[in-house]
Amino acid sequence: MSDDEVQTVVSELASAWNRGDAVAFAKRFRPAGTFTNINGATFEGHAAFEQRHREIFAGSVKGSSVTLSIRRCQLVRPDVAVVDVDGSLKVPAAPLIDTKLLLVLTKERGEWSIVAFHNTAVQSAPIVR
């Protein structure tokens, strides 16, 4: 996997989010993929991922924009990559939401797809000692 291939996947996600396009956002999501949202709710499968984002784009984050920056990409095997992404979500009339997104990508028939999508909101927390 080249840096360009990873960037293409992440750029497609950001572009689809910014258009509020759930179909495009779910385009690379595998039929049996897993999704954990920033609130810790979990979903399985392409249809659930797409439907949840359709609801999100029509609901509380309607008109929002996201920026996604790859922090690290690790090629585990030639056909499996783990990608750490820093995200920033701007919702109209709300504070900025920073997130950490973990993507697990697999390659089949020359195409990279998302098998796991785990998104975590960055929150202030006391230091654990």
Side-chain angles (χ1 to χ4, degrees):
M1 170 183 269
S2 73
D3 290 345
D4 289 343
E5 289 175 304
V6 176
Q7 187 59 57
T8 296
V9 172
V10 173
S11 293
E12 285 176 0
L13 287 170
S15 178
W17 183 285
N18 293 337
R19 293 188 318 273
D21 185 341
V23 173
F25 194 76
K27 173 184 161 189
R28 290 185 181 258
F29 199 79
R30 297 285 304 264
T34 61
F35 166 50
T36 304
N37 72 15
I38 63 172
N39 298 317
T42 58
F43 304 85
E44 288 187 34
H46 180 98
F49 185 79
E50 183 179 318
Q51 178 58 34
R52 182 62 192 131
H53 285 88
R54 187 175 285 112
E55 294 164 0
I56 289 169
F57 296 150
S60 61
V61 299
K62 185 175 183 174
S64 65
S65 61
V66 70
T67 57
L68 300 175
S69 302
I70 297 168
R71 182 172 11 96
R72 181 174 183 260
C73 178
Q74 178 185 7
L75 195 59
V76 179
R77 296 187 330 214
D79 61 343
V80 178
V82 176
V83 185
D84 292 295
V85 180
D86 294 327
S88 189
L89 179 64
K90 176 73 175 121
V91 180
L96 194 65
I97 301 169
D98 290 323
T99 68
K100 300 292 183 187
L101 172 61
L102 177 68
L103 298 172
V104 178
L105 305 177
T106 59
K107 189 173 191 177
E108 290 184 22
R109 292 179 227 98
E111 288 288 320
W112 287 97
S113 58
I114 302 167
V115 70
F117 185 111
H118 185 108
N119 203 10
T120 304
V122 176
Q123 301 176 7
S124 297
I127 297 174
V128 177
R129 297 185 194 268

